[in-house]
Amino acid sequence: MGAVELRIDGVSAADVVAVARLDAPVVLGDGARSEMERSAGVVAARAAADEPAYGISTGFGSLALVRIPGDARVALQRALIRSHAAGMGPPIEREVVRAMMLLRARSLAMGRSGARPVVVERIAALLGAGVTPVVPEHGSLGASGDLAPLAHCALVLTGEGLVMDGSSGGSRPASEALASAGIEPLELTAKEGLALINGTDGMLGMLVLACSDLSALLKVADVAAAMSVEALLGTDRVFAEDLIALRPQPGQVDSAWNLRALLAGSSIVASHRYGDPRVQDAYSLRCAPQVCGAARDALSYARGVASVELRSAIDNPMVLPDGRVESCGNFHGAPVGMACDVLAIGAAQVGAIAERRTDRLLDASRSHGLPPFLAADPGVDSGMMLAQYAQAAMVAENRRLAAPASVDTLPTSAMQEDHVSMGWGAARKLRLSVANLTRIVAVELCCAARALDLRSPLAPAAGTAAALESVRSRVPGPGPDRFLSPELSAVESLVASGELLAAVEAAIGPLR
């Protein structure tokens, strides 16, 4: 795998995924090195001057009026990291920590923080050696960015704190891990401690990973919807291009296009195209592209926010090209937090409509000829009854998680930080929402696949047939009740890994 180069113009979302999940190596580009050296020189000059400069020759937050003597300014940076590494709770996921480390290195490499190139090189070395700091879940308010989580990462750079121990699943001292990897602990100089923690990199990393997951997951949600439309003897006429063009919301257009492609040539749909006494389908079938399309539009908005952040220098104060060192508010997490909240709302809606289709598949009074709960021997067998219970529980949780975190604020630092973003909390709950939605869609796929089998000898369309075959590669077809949880987990894995989507696209081409 090629190395991700840190440049003065930032990195891409694909770079974040590659480093976080695929362990791609990281290198500092020559242009970024030069710019870092220039800004580090500016900071060194300000540190030697009499004029106070925030975070260089003063304290932090509400202690900004405290002047720090020259012989204490190195100790100031180490003390900042130690005191701010104050997180609590269970450790966050390895991929999130790696994304956060990359993104902090990315911001420093843009040359607006005054950090030396060696700081970024040491972060890259940690990433390359697989040394991952232990970062507790709780501690960030998204105020001056993700202060506490980033401080736990910075502490490891200095040889203190804890890192994940892959062999035991626990942790071990950072000093041992650095020695084993041949990495020297970093001695921080003026402003570098502040520069290592004053960013939105944790919440941004989680937003980027969520966008990557949802990009594929919303396509699979269309696949599941198409399977349910077939299994419930629904019509594809509502997805017609000329009808959708009357309200051309971009996401709705793409979702309807997918449904048309997935249902093209379906013998099941054709079997009741004429002479069907029903006037129209229920909303959960008919409005699938409207709901999933709105989530797609939310995803487009969130990607736009992330794209800007990925090429933005985030710190305070900033070292400008003309040599000025100016305070700013660019570390505030409001843009990222709001984007995470919008995505969580979209995930909740897509899961809710999927659950309604699943419930309809299981209800003999509304499923148009399917057995109750898709059971082999209803009464003796309960079929997929409890799968829908589990699905409904996760839908309910996603509704709770859709309550926005970014509307909240709690003042900190003796009212210096009197409005905070709660962006970290928004990003954390978004990860739960995406994980739940993956499982919710997996349940619909399991139920719709069983229902399609029960419609035999009528054949599904090529796209939905490919999805059915993918499910059947892991899960047997209808029959007497059996241990259901492993089957649901197997289909969840098919969704999360991209295997099911790949099978569908191999059969009918790329989905939008």
Side-chain angles (χ1 to χ4, degrees), residues 40-81:
V42 172
V43 168
R46 292 297 297 270
D50 292 332
E51 182 182 357
Y54 175 73
I56 298 173
S57 54
T58 74
F60 308 100
S62 65
L63 300 175
L65 297 179
V66 178
R67 295 287 298 275
I68 308 299
D71 60 358
R73 290 175 188 172
V74 171
L76 170 71
Q77 302 301 316
R78 182 176 284 268
L80 173 71
I81 297 303

Side-chain angles (χ1 to χ4, degrees), residues 25 59 63 121 149 162 164 169 172 183 207 221 261 283 285 299 312 336 374 379 383 385 401 437 456 499:
L63 300 175
E121 290 171 339
L162 298 172
M164 296 181 183
R172 62 173 175 152
I183 300 172
L207 175 61
Y283 283 11
L285 280 65
L299 178 58
S312 300
V336 180
L374 307 178
M385 180 191 294
L401 293 170
L437 181 58
S456 180
E499 187 176 336

Side-chain angles (χ1 to χ4, degrees), residues 436-469:
N436 281 340
L437 181 58
T438 302
R439 300 182 187 109
I440 290 165
V441 171
V443 172
E444 183 181 9
L445 288 167
C446 284
C447 294
R450 182 178 288 208
L452 286 177
D453 281 333
L454 294 171
R455 292 296 184 193
S456 180
L458 293 174
T464 50
L468 174 59
E469 183 178 357

Side-chain angles (χ1 to χ4, degrees), residues 19 33 74 84 86 113 115 162 186 231 243 297 365-366 413 437 442:
V19 172
R33 180 185 302 277
V74 171
H84 282 49
S113 293
L162 298 172
L186 183 64
L243 283 175
D297 292 336
S365 69
R366 294 179 291 143
S413 192
L437 181 58

Side-chain angles (χ1 to χ4, degrees), residues 56 128 135 147 155 160 169 171 197 210 234 278 340 344 392 397 404 411 481:
I56 298 173
V135 178
L147 291 173
L155 195 63
E160 299 184 24
S171 62
I197 67 173
R278 293 172 297 167
C340 289
E397 182 174 41
D481 280 358

